[in-house]
Amino acid sequence: MNKRSGMCCFLSAVSLVVCLAGAAAAQSQSPSITAIKAGRLIDPESGTAATNQVILIEGEKIKAVGANLAIPAGATVLDLSKLTVLPGLVDAHTHMAITYKEQPENNYYYLTYVMDSTALRAIQAASNGIQLLNAGFTVIRDVGNNGLYADVALRQAIEQGWLPGPTVIPSGIIIGGTGGQFWPTPEMYKQHNIVYPEYLDANTPEEIIRAVRENMLFGARTIKLCIDCKPWGYSVDEIKLAISEAAKGGCKVDGHVQTPEGAQRAIDAGIYIISHGNALTPEHHRQMGAKGIFLAGTDTPFTKYRGNENAFKQTVAKLRDAWEKKVPLTFSTDLDYWNERMKDEKNGEWLSRGDLTIAFLDTWKAAGIPPADILRAITVNGYKAADVIKERGPIKPGFFADLIAVSGDPLTDIDALRNVQFVMKNGMVFKKDGAMMPEKSFHPGPVRIPSGRYTR
Ligand SMILES: [Zn+2]
């Protein structure tokens, strides 16, 4: 038997096992039906709400939505008639598997990276995922600084059913020119290869292709480039090369931008998302609006635990200008830090990762952006930026059943999103009556055929 026919036999054996497993699953249990009675159902795309809707869910997906749907006998009925139902929320730029702190590293994440193993960081990421799902976030883009692919592992673990969490769009390792965002010493760089695995050095066209392919091989669903982390940042042609290589694996490119020149190169190359709004000028906003380039501005609010008044004023003004110029805005945080002041001012309790994330609404409110537009940014634009819009997000037949419910009306009062009462992910209830009920979301083994590194 030569190698080739051996591989064919192996593949047919695998597909036979997969088919048999699928048939067995179909025979043993027909998918359960859940009917949600929604008092109000928001469509963030149009910024409208319909009253007294029924959402039928079969297994993991939405089967039908409407006012006069018959509820099948035997369906589990969830009465949310006093609540407003809407699609799950998206943080379009976050970091699940790094937490830099004041103690002991003085907020210097180079030290966090040296002191915290990828394994520890992966467990932090799992905890962060549960906290974010509890706050209503059903999709997150996790864009680097996750050690050795802890972001991909988190996606796989959630997808396989080990634990609850949002759908994770991992970038794998951030690709940059020599050094990434670090300024290491010669001995640490040359003798200890310290930049990897926080950054993948890629300095030539060949290295850029290799780095993009390597990330996709290890499970990345988006590609993150350091456009201008160093004075030797990427040229327009180099960014274009990364975009075309990423497209072969179905990935869009997100550029970390910190200078006006870098922003212009990213825009000229036709990048999909620009991360960080600080360096963008009104002219950049105009071009991004015209080209439909997403902005993940990472618009940090000024709070007791983070930020300062001047920086906040500038952030607010830039977000406002981007909105006026019709840039496709996403809700994004860049959360990768923690400190001892992150407590609720009223009751002194720790703020959860979900609380800290949704607090970014402060910046959007300060910019005077209407609730319907904020809602679009934190839902529809997030699904588009995460490139999941064809299967996940909108509450429509055929889509995964990811939805949340809140008291009040986020179309008039966006702060309603701060108190999520109900969360459903992939058709499974994760939170009800304001309390997590995750027992069924933890399994002692993978409940789905593994994907990610194995299939796309
Ligand atoms: Zn970031």
Side-chain angles (χ1 to χ4, degrees), residues 93 95 143 224 276 334 336:
H93 181 131
H95 302 277
V143 284
K224 175 92 174 295
H276 311 300
D334 206 15
D336 50 9

Side-chain angles (χ1 to χ4, degrees), residues 280-332:
L280 302 181
T281 63
E283 172 56 19
H284 292 137
H285 289 155
R286 190 192 63 72
Q287 294 175 39
M288 288 171 72
K291 285 190 161 187
I293 297 172
F294 289 98
L295 174 60
T298 62
D299 316 285
T300 307
F302 175 35
T303 54
K304 288 246 161 67
Y305 51 82
R306 189 80 178 177
N308 65 67
E309 200 163 1
N310 278 342
F312 183 59
K313 274 185 188 160
Q314 199 183 35
T315 301
V316 166
K318 294 215 177 215
L319 182 60
R320 173 83 195 178
D321 187 70
W323 173 75
E324 286 174 356
K325 304 266 185 343
K326 300 195 168 21
V327 177
L329 300 176
T330 64
F331 181 89
S332 57

